[in-house]
């Protein structure tokens, strides 16, 4: 890093060591997040996200913002909006899954045993694999939509689906459900 940039970076958060946010800036970020509707339990994560973005900005070689406090407040506001969007997506997914469950009326002991086994198998999958399985087979989204929503290539979605389905199939055979 150039000396001038390093000096400007130190001046931007004078005396705080490696922490890019001073105490007043951190309080402001917390306040913006809280006023933006982020729950109290998620505030530390939000503050860390602001710190991370400031550090990433410096690591990429860009200059520190002229007013770190204002910049951090805008980033915190954007994080609060992102939090609400994610919450709405989760709620819509939950509603879609609930609607699917209401349409399906399992009958017989075999169906309930299979349902429990599949649920346990889903719980055992890594988060990324479970996410694509639920979006593809429960929310009935096409691979292209899943890729767009997750911001990953279609090939990644297909690979995760393949790996997850293979793991679920193996588990159901091990448990002698199918």
């Amino acid at each position: 890093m150039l000396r001038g940039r390093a000096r400007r970076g130190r001046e931007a958060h004078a005396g705080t060591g490696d922490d890019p946010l001073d105490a007043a800036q951190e309080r402001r970020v917390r306040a913006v997040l809280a006023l933006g509707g982020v729950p109290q339990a998620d505030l530390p994560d939000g503050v860390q996200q602001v710190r991370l973005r400031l550090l990433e900005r410096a690591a990429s070689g860009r200059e520190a913002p002229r007013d770190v406090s204002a910049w951090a407040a805008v980033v915190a506001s954007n994080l609060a909006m992102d939090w609400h969007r994610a919450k709405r997506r989760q709620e819509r997914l939950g509603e879609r899954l609930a609607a699917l469950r209401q349409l399906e009326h399992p009958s017989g002991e075999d169906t309930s045993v299979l349902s429990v086994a599949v649920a346990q198998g889903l719980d055992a999958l890594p988060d990324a694999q479970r996410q694509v399985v639920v979006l593809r087979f429960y929310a009935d989204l096409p691979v292209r939509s899943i890729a767009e929503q997750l911001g990953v290539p279609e090939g990644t979605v297909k690979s995760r689906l393949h790996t997850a389905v293979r793991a679920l199939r193996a588990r159901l055979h091990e448990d002698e459900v199918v």
Side-chain angles (χ1 to χ4, degrees):
M1 182 185 289
L2 297 174
R3 281 191 151 96
R5 282 191 181 142
R7 192 177 309 116
R8 278 192 299 273
R10 281 193 301 272
E11 291 166 1
H13 54 277
T16 60
D18 292 333
D19 194 347
L21 295 176
D22 65 26
Q25 291 164 340
E26 182 176 334
R27 282 192 302 274
R28 185 173 189 187
V29 166
R30 282 180 177 278
V32 169
L33 291 168
L35 291 171
V38 176
Q40 191 73 24
D42 291 337
L43 292 181
D45 290 338
V47 172
Q48 287 299 88
Q49 281 294 318
V50 173
R51 278 190 180 99
L52 178 64
R53 292 191 185 174
L54 190 56
L55 291 170
E56 286 172 342
R57 180 184 175 107
S60 70
R62 292 185 289 173
E63 289 186 30
R66 289 180 190 217
D67 184 351
V68 174
S69 185
W71 181 89
V74 170
V75 170
S77 177
N78 290 337
L79 286 171
M81 289 190 314
D82 291 347
W83 184 87
H84 284 289
R85 286 185 194 120
K87 182 179 174 190
R88 280 194 298 271
R89 274 194 303 272
Q90 284 296 107
E91 288 170 352
R92 285 193 306 267
L93 179 59
E95 290 167 2
R96 290 175 94 178
L97 288 173
L100 287 172
R101 286 187 188 126
Q102 289 173 354
L103 293 175
E104 299 171 359
H105 297 288
S107 58
E109 187 176 312
D110 291 340
T111 306
S112 61
V113 168
L114 180 61
S115 295
V116 168
V118 169
Q120 289 172 341
L122 281 172
D123 286 342
L125 291 175
D127 292 341
Q129 290 177 11
R130 180 175 45 251
Q131 183 180 35
V132 295
V133 167
V134 168
L135 292 173
R136 179 66 188 103
F137 298 113
Y138 289 90
D140 199 30
L141 294 177
V143 170
R144 174 173 281 150
S145 294
I146 296 169
E148 289 171 2
Q149 292 299 318
L150 298 179
V152 297
E154 288 183 45
T156 301
V157 173
K158 290 176 183 178
S159 173
R160 289 176 184 172
L161 278 171
H162 176 77
T163 304
V165 168
R166 188 175 50 201
L168 282 172
R169 186 177 293 128
R171 179 172 178 128
L172 293 176
H173 284 292
E174 283 175 16
D175 295 345
E176 297 180 358
V177 176
V178 291

